[in-house]
């Protein structure tokens, strides 16, 4: 197969665009798509300071690399979850990328270790409060990401969520008719109340396969291994179902998610209504003063419960 | 040819030469969920893998 833009050998077919690219043209295509996402969804400008959440996986490291290549002011946060084996291997990938790629561009990595901070890894915390690991993990990651962004005056928080992630989440939300979650499925969620940073997903136009191909072509050394807790996750079932549909009818995933975004944009100005809801319901947490809808935020409540169980 | 797979990590041997598309079929995998890598190069589905080659079929779907 030949590249559709130049005479070189293609490295990836993109059935959803009815095209194929060589390594260089794929790189250009992906960066252009990300730049387009940033503009179209008003994510951030070249003056803004962006904090990327990195896990050592393909999406977050690729996002960090692309934002650097596009010339944005970007730093990264890695949350060390303290999962035996997996956490040290993923941290190693992140630190290696930081040293080799980010540091020469003046981009910094912050590491937050859950074990140092809470005295226990994510699995033990989840056990103590009898919640699924992934749910405790989500609370901690969201909290730390927002805290670091807030304390260090970042304008925006960016995550590596891609088209597959968003389409799978949308499918899940629609299957259960979780309407309140549908509202939050925009690639840009505005900042609300002081201290609650704006959240963006610059990779929402790219499939996981395109991102992984970009990472391979650009020699981004990421961790292929998955978090051991992810096994059997519902999301994987939705992703597989969507990929079967995609194989039959290329473009299904983008039509599904982008079509949703078009309708959302037409039906109401979600961005403004979201921040209005937040403005009226969010207050500073009584313990840590980060914004919350309850008196004490879910993170502080969870940690308090973990502590009382220890005693 | 030697085929390296992940989740769980394992190696299988299948008869070559074979087109990448047929490798997917033989292993009952959806192309949309994987990349095929030979050395440091990505292969498209129409390329042929020789019997003596070693390839990696790398999953691109993550659970998070
Ligand atoms: S799979 Fe679960 S435990 Fe692992 S990183 Fe994701 S949310 Fe956390
Ligand atoms: Zn080309
Ligand atoms: Zn709090």
């Amino acid at each position: 197969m030949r590249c559709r833009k130049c005479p070189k050998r293609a490295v990836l077919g993109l059935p959803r665009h009815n095209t194929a690219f060589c390594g260089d043209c794929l790189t250009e295509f992906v960066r252009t798509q990300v730049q387009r996402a940033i503009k179209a969804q008003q994510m951030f400008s070249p003056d803004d300071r962006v904090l990327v959440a990195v896990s050592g996986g393909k999406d977050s490291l690729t996002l960090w690399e692309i934002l650097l290549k596009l010339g944005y002011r970007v730093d990264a946060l890695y949350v060390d979850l303290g999962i035996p084996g997996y956490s040290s291997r993923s941290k190693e990938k992140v630190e290696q990328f930081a040293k080799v790629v980010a540091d020469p561009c003046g981009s910094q990595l912050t590491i937050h270790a859950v074990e140092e901070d809470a005295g226990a890894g994510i699995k033990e915390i989840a056990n103590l409060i009898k919640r699924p690991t992934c749910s405790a993990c989500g609370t901690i990651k969201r909290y730390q990401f927002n805290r670091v962004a807030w304390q260090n005056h970042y304008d925006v928080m960016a995550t590596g969520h891609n088209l597959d992630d968003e389409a799978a989440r949308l499918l899940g939300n629609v299957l259960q008719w979780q309407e309140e979650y549908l509202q939050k499925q925009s690639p840009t969620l505005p900042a609300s109340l002081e201290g609650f940073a704006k959240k963006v997903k610059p990779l929402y136009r790219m499939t996981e396969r395109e991102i992984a191909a970009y990472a391979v072509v650009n020699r981004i050394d990421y961790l292929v291994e998955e978090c051991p807790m992810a096994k059997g996750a519902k999301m994987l079932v939705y992703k597989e179902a969507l990929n079967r549909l995609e194989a039959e009818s290329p473009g299904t995933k983008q039509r599904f998610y982008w079509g949703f975004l078009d309708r959302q944009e037409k039906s109401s100005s979600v961005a403004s209504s979201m921040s209005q809801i937040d403005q009226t319901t969010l207050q500073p947490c009584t313990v840590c003063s980060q914004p919350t809808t309850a008196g004490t935020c879910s993170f502080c409540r969870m940690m308090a419960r973990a502590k009382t169980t220890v005693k | 040819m030697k085929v390296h797979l992940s989740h769980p990590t394992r190696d299988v041997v299948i008869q070559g030469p074979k087109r990448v598309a047929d490798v997917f079929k033989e292993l009952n995998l959806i192309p949309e969920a994987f990349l095929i890598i030979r050395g440091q190069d990505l292969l498209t589905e129409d390329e042929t893998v020789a019997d003596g080659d070693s390839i990696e079929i790398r999953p691109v779907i993550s659970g998070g």
Side-chain angles (χ1 to χ4, degrees), chain A residues 9-25:
Chain A
R9 185 183 71 85
V11 296
L12 190 76
L14 288 87
R16 71 182 178 120
H17 292 299
N18 194 20
T19 192
F21 292 130
C22 69
D24 289 341
C25 294

Side-chain angles (χ1 to χ4, degrees), chain A residues 3-6 8 11 14 21-37 65-66 69-70 206 210 213-215 217-218:
Chain A
C3 176
R4 295 288 173 86
K5 284 177 79 181
C6 78
K8 279 186 275 182
V11 296
L14 288 87
F21 292 130
C22 69
D24 289 341
C25 294
L26 175 73
T27 297
E28 193 195 309
F29 168 77
V30 172
R31 289 184 192 161
T32 306
Q33 289 292 319
V34 173
Q35 183 59 62
R36 183 181 292 178
E65 197 260 9
I66 292 174
K69 289 284 158 25
L70 291 174
M206 313 311 307
E210 291 156 7
Y214 177 99
V217 165
N218 289 282

Side-chain angles (χ1 to χ4, degrees), chain A residues 90-103:
Chain A
S90 64
K91 190 165 103 185
E92 204 176 297
K93 295 287 183 192
V94 171
E95 283 179 323
Q96 184 65 14
F97 182 93
K99 197 171 105 194
V100 176
V101 184
D103 193 57

Side-chain angles (χ1 to χ4, degrees), chain A residues 1 9-13 58-59 208-209 212-213 216-217 219 222 224 226 235-236 239 243-244 246 253, chain B residues 6-7 30-35 37 40-47 56 58-64:
Chain A
M1 206 185 284
R9 185 183 71 85
V11 296
L12 190 76
K58 65 182 189 315
D59 303 299
E208 300 210 88
R209 188 161 180 262
V216 171
V217 165
R219 310 271 184 266
Y222 67 90
V224 176
E226 284 275 291
M235 277 304 150
L236 287 175
K239 282 185 176 179
N243 275 338
R244 290 196 185 277
E246 184 79 23
K253 290 184 286 196
Chain B
S6 300
H7 309 167
I30 328 168
E32 181 71 13
F34 300 91
L35 291 175
I37 305 171
Q40 292 207 309
D41 294 327
L42 291 174
L43 301 182
T44 50
E45 282 177 59
D46 60 326
E47 293 207 49
E56 177 189 353
R58 182 182 293 187
V60 298
I61 304 303
S62 46

Side-chain angles (χ1 to χ4, degrees), chain A residues 13-304:
Chain A
L14 288 87
R16 71 182 178 120
H17 292 299
N18 194 20
T19 192
F21 292 130
C22 69
D24 289 341
C25 294
L26 175 73
T27 297
E28 193 195 309
F29 168 77
V30 172
R31 289 184 192 161
T32 306
Q33 289 292 319
V34 173
Q35 183 59 62
R36 183 181 292 178
I38 293 168
K39 281 244 165 75
Q41 299 287 332
Q42 295 158 7
M43 293 185 178
F44 43 82
S45 71
D47 296 330
D48 287 329
R49 291 180 64 231
V50 184
L51 181 67
V52 180
V54 290
S55 67
K58 65 182 189 315
D59 303 299
S60 56
L61 287 185
T62 296
L63 176 59
W64 194 4
E65 197 260 9
I66 292 174
L67 294 183
L68 286 172
K69 289 284 158 25
L70 291 174
Y72 287 104
R73 301 174 67 193
V74 54
D75 293 322
L77 171 70
Y78 171 80
V79 177
D80 182 347
L81 301 166
I83 296 171
Y86 169 76
S87 285
S88 57
R89 287 191 287 275
S90 64
K91 190 165 103 185
E92 204 176 297
K93 295 287 183 192
V94 171
E95 283 179 323
Q96 184 65 14
F97 182 93
K99 197 171 105 194
V100 176
V101 184
D103 193 57
C105 305
S107 171
Q108 298 201 340
L109 169 68
T110 300
I111 295 180
H112 174 89
V114 172
E115 243 168 339
E116 270 170 39
D117 182 52
I122 184 75
K123 269 164 107 175
E124 298 159 71
I125 295 175
N127 279 343
L128 285 172
I129 57 167
K130 299 189 177 57
R131 256 170 64 185
T133 310
C134 291
S135 126
C137 180
T139 301
I140 290 180
K141 283 193 294 195
R142 267 192 305 278
Y143 178 84
Q144 297 301 345
F145 195 24
N146 195 53
R147 182 186 61 80
V148 171
W150 175 52
Q151 287 179 355
N152 299 286
H153 310 288
Y154 285 95
D155 299 288
V156 200
M157 307 188 284
T159 54
H161 291 97
N162 54 51
L163 177 57
D164 291 73
D165 294 323
E166 295 307 301
R169 193 151 83 110
L170 178 60
L171 180 61
N173 286 339
V174 168
L175 289 174
Q176 329 280 347
W177 285 116
Q178 310 253 37
E179 285 179 65
E180 68 282 14
Y181 289 125
L182 284 178
Q183 274 232 335
K184 294 195 179 171
Q185 260 215 274
S186 161
T188 297
L189 290 175
S192 51
L193 205 77
E194 205 194 335
F196 212 56
K198 179 174 175 177
K199 273 193 213 163
V200 298
K201 298 170 179 170
L203 299 182
Y204 81 94
R205 299 177 67 88
M206 313 311 307
T207 66
E208 300 210 88
R209 188 161 180 262
E210 291 156 7
I211 294 165
Y214 177 99
V216 171
V217 165
N218 289 282
R219 310 271 184 266
I220 297 172
D221 184 19
Y222 67 90
L223 189 68
V224 176
E225 176 191 346
E226 284 275 291
C227 173
M229 304 296 120
K231 273 186 203 125
K234 221 16 168 325
M235 277 304 150
L236 287 175
V237 179
Y238 295 147
K239 282 185 176 179
E240 195 181 326
L242 285 166
N243 275 338
R244 290 196 185 277
L245 294 170
E246 184 79 23
E248 293 300 318
S249 172
T252 299
K253 290 184 286 196
Q254 77 182 48
R255 278 192 300 276
F256 183 47
Y257 182 55
W258 300 1
F260 163 76
L261 293 179
D262 286 346
R263 277 159 190 76
Q264 202 183 40
E265 200 180 322
K266 269 182 217 144
S267 65
S268 71
S269 162
V270 185
S272 64
S273 68
M274 265 291 304
S275 73
Q276 270 160 19
I277 295 170
D278 286 354
Q279 298 282 0
T280 51
T281 53
L282 287 177
Q283 288 165 359
C285 166
T286 51
V287 178
C288 71
S289 75
Q290 279 211 66
T292 176
T293 47
T296 304
C297 80
S298 52
F299 174 80
C300 291
R301 269 184 290 145
M302 187 173 94
M303 296 321 270

